[in-house]
Amino acid sequence: MAQRGRWLAIVNPAAGNGAGGRLAGSLAQTFARAGLTVDVEQSPGVGEAARLAGAAVDDGYEVIVAVGGDGTANEVANGILGSRAALALFPVGTGNDLARNLGYPRRADVPAFLARSTPREIDAGLANGRAFVNHAGVGIDGVVAARARAFGHYLGPLLGYAASSLAAIATFRPVEMRVTIDGARREGRFLIVVVSNGVRFGGGMKAAPQALVDDGWFDVSLAGDLGRGASVAALVRLYRGTHVDGVRIQGLRAKELVIELDQPLPMELDGEVTRGRSLSISLRPRALRVLA
């Protein structure tokens, strides 16, 4: 398939314990072997990939390749959301869940995969004004994401997320939340609220096994006041996608959510962690073009 338009690869040099930086120098040649002409630019710091992606759109680039993990893809998506430019992935990060959800192959096969891919439009979310592509979470999810990077450095992504989840279960207790889902309000103690656009998060956990990235809905999982034993059992089922039981763990579909807290808690968007006392989430149907 002939290449369409100009392509820019934005590299996160810190992704994959420095794998992004090590690949940057040979990336253009790697894509050239698949028949693709790709310019390459390294992101100078956290948040800069969004700025570079926005500038690339203004400069006429039609495909922006996020070279990194889910956080890098999130930044690029924030730079191009609503434009006609397409997001492509070269996954070298810790979790790479978005790449899994979009059917990307292993890294060595990505250039050839992109050379024959076509643009499609998928949903995106806005959380307190910031875009996310794959998922947003409040509660223990943010604690796990904050620890996963350190654990993943030594154990790899799969074991790293599992180890950080077990460590978080040992210390984090459910907290009071007021959760409004499409106008219906719920109050109580929750371990986690996860808003999913894709099936997988957390390095392969199947948070929303029925989710579709372009169906115009979020898939929402709410875990109530689980004890430690029940939390470990739910973690095991989460990898199989059988965690929702309709009692202690609810599964819903929604377009808008507001989560209010009594104290600041970790919040996670596509693997990146922030803190806050409230989170307002809305759906942007088919607002992001991707190559898949």
Side-chain angles (χ1 to χ4, degrees), residues 40-167:
V40 179
E41 190 164 359
Q42 293 197 51
S43 173
V46 176
E48 289 296 292
R51 178 184 62 80
L52 294 174
V57 171
D58 292 341
D59 198 30
Y61 283 95
E62 296 182 26
V63 175
I64 315 297
V65 185
V67 184
D70 291 317
T72 308
N74 176 279
E75 288 190 21
V76 172
N78 272 272
I80 70 173
L81 188 70
S83 75
R84 296 301 297 168
L87 167 69
L89 307 174
F90 193 87
V92 297
T94 302
N96 302 315
D97 291 299
L98 180 60
R100 288 188 181 94
N101 289 332
L102 294 178
Y104 273 63
R106 62 181 183 174
R107 186 193 309 171
D109 299 328
V110 166
F113 171 80
L114 291 177
R116 62 178 183 269
S117 64
T118 56
R120 60 181 290 199
E121 295 178 344
I122 67 170
D123 303 332
L126 288 179
N128 290 354
R130 179 176 178 82
F132 67 93
V133 184
N134 197 46
H135 69 281
V138 178
I140 196 172
D141 181 39
V143 177
V144 171
R147 294 179 174 177
R149 221 169 259 177
F151 280 105
H153 180 77
Y154 299 103
L155 300 175
L158 183 61
L159 290 178
Y161 272 103
S164 61
S165 297
L166 291 172

Side-chain angles (χ1 to χ4, degrees), residues 18 21 26 39 45-46 127 159 168 201 208 267 276 281:
S26 60
D39 298 328
V46 176
L159 290 178
F201 86 140
M267 301 178 177
I281 298 175

Side-chain angles (χ1 to χ4, degrees), residues 123 197 210-219 253 255 283 285-286:
D123 303 332
N197 190 38
Q210 304 303 317
L212 297 172
V213 294
D214 58 0
D215 65 352
W217 291 93
F218 292 130
D219 285 54
R253 305 184 84 204
K255 295 180 183 290
L283 185 75
R286 302 198 177 211

Side-chain angles (χ1 to χ4, degrees), residues 258-270:
V258 177
I259 303 169
E260 300 170 289
L261 310 165
D262 292 330
Q263 59 186 12
L265 278 183
M267 301 178 177
E268 187 226 345
L269 303 179
D270 292 338

